[in-house]
Amino acid sequence: MKIAWVTRSRRQVAATLEGLQQLHREGKYEEAEAGARALEERTRRLRSRGLVVGWYAKALATVAACAHGRGTQVLDELESLIAELRRMVGPERVLLLNVRSNRMLVLNDAGRHDEAEAEGLDILRDLTRLKHLTPVWRLELCVLDNLVVALCGQGRYEEAEAIARGNLPRAEGATVAALHSGLVRSLNGQKRYDEALTEAQRFTPRWDRGQSGDLGIATAVALHGLGRRSEAEATVREALNECERFLHPDHPRVREARALIAHITATDGPPAPAPEQTSR
């Protein structure tokens, strides 16, 4: 009876974790984070197995916080989880790389783009060693998207363009929207505003809550660069409304949109340089 109970309990935990992951995929970040933290607390009673489940629950809670825009608030938590997972082998190695990818996102949010780049390149090397053991291409694309952000943040727009353009055809889901916006931003950074606007309008990726306002801000920069100020202002105000509706007030994209509005409305001078790209 004890063995049967343990098996049933583990199945219930696995089902709960999958349900929380589905909430995250649907953009219900607050619910996913709250549920993951409750699961982490509950699984502390499952001894060694509870430790592993707790890691997955904590990882899900932190990724939900990052997607919502509260990444800097969970940076210490990410650091401690990474330290714990570094001692593990097997499936937990992939979990470690996922957590490090989230840390990369937070580093970009904090403007620590050179550190984010170094982290991303190291993750990609580890992924290369894992490719023959387990599918890792989705994680690889997330890291490459974060790398585009890091390179744009350092003014290395040509490199960012090459990565975004080269990987966009194989992306899916939220990564399509992220790489698409990254490509537009990399073109803006090179002052290729006509191309940036054409790319921005080429297609509309499937809506994803975590990408709220991202493409709109990039489109507004292109319009502003072309001297179409009224259109740029209207576009970035719409992007700001979207950010304020769906993202946490601390999300760096909220600040980015407000800064762009302030610049557009405060000057009649030359177009502003492309704002520093924020994280996903």
Side-chain angles (χ1 to χ4, degrees):
M1 287 297 293
K2 183 177 181 181
I3 294 176
W5 179 88
V6 171
T7 301
R8 184 166 60 251
S9 177
R10 289 178 177 177
R11 288 174 179 169
Q12 290 172 345
V13 167
T16 299
L17 194 56
E18 174 55 35
L20 294 172
Q21 290 170 337
Q22 181 60 34
L23 287 175
H24 182 270
R25 286 191 288 268
E26 293 171 0
K28 299 176 181 178
Y29 302 137
E30 300 91 336
E31 296 174 51
E33 182 182 357
R37 295 198 181 281
L39 177 61
E40 180 191 2
E41 181 64 28
R42 180 157 57 92
T43 54
R44 289 179 183 176
R45 297 187 293 272
L46 297 179
R47 297 185 180 181
S48 61
R49 179 60 181 171
L51 180 63
V52 175
V53 174
W55 285 335
Y56 280 91
K58 183 179 286 189
L60 180 56
T62 53
V63 74
C66 289
H68 193 205
R70 294 174 35 251
T72 55
Q73 296 179 22
V74 297
L75 181 56
D76 289 344
E77 196 172 0
L78 287 169
E79 300 280 10
S80 66
L81 183 55
I82 288 170
E84 291 182 66
L85 291 171
R86 284 193 189 279
R87 302 192 299 268
M88 306 305 296
V89 295
E92 281 68 50
R93 295 299 298 175
V94 178
L95 177 61
L96 169 61
L97 297 180
N98 272 284
V99 176
R100 290 178 63 195
S101 176
N102 292 331
R103 178 178 181 272
M104 186 183 177
L105 184 153
V106 178
L107 290 173
N108 275 326
D109 278 352
R112 297 160 61 181
H113 301 295
D114 54 342
E115 295 176 63
E117 180 192 4
E119 182 82 283
L121 294 176
D122 194 49
I123 296 171
L124 290 173
R125 283 190 289 269
D126 284 347
L127 287 174
T128 298
R129 292 191 285 267
L130 287 173
K131 282 182 179 179
H132 68 289
L133 298 174
T134 185
V136 293
W137 64 271
R138 287 185 177 86
L139 175 54
E140 181 183 40
L141 284 169
C142 289
V143 175
L144 289 169
D145 169 45
N146 285 330
L147 190 56
V148 169
V149 177
L151 292 171
C152 283
Q154 297 176 72
R156 293 158 59 187
Y157 299 111
E158 295 86 351
E159 296 172 68
E161 179 191 356
I163 293 173
R165 199 181 291 281
N167 289 281
L168 190 55
R170 70 187 182 104
E172 64 176 30
T175 314
V176 175
L179 285 171
H180 181 233
S181 180
L183 177 55
V184 176
R185 288 173 177 271
S186 70
L187 293 170
N188 281 332
Q190 298 172 69
K191 302 188 186 304
R192 292 158 58 187
Y193 300 119
D194 275 318
E195 293 176 66
L197 185 59
T198 298
E199 178 61 39
Q201 297 174 340
R202 183 168 66 87
F203 72 100
T204 302
R206 188 190 71 187
W207 186 82
D208 179 87
R209 182 182 175 186
Q211 303 303 315
S212 296
D214 197 20
L215 183 60
I217 292 171
T219 303
V221 172
L223 289 165
H224 187 220
L226 293 169
R228 295 161 61 175
R229 296 180 184 278
S230 60
E231 293 174 75
E233 181 181 351
T235 300
V236 73
R237 288 191 183 280
E238 183 178 349
L240 176 60
N241 289 336
E242 187 177 358
C243 290
E244 291 178 332
R245 180 179 178 186
F246 295 111
L247 302 176
H248 191 272
D250 290 339
H251 199 295
R253 206 173 295 143
V254 174
R255 297 192 299 272
E256 183 187 19
R258 289 173 177 165
L260 183 56
I261 290 172
H263 183 85
I264 292 173
T265 58
T267 180
D268 293 322
E276 181 179 287
Q277 183 176 3
T278 59
S279 200
R280 309 298 175 202

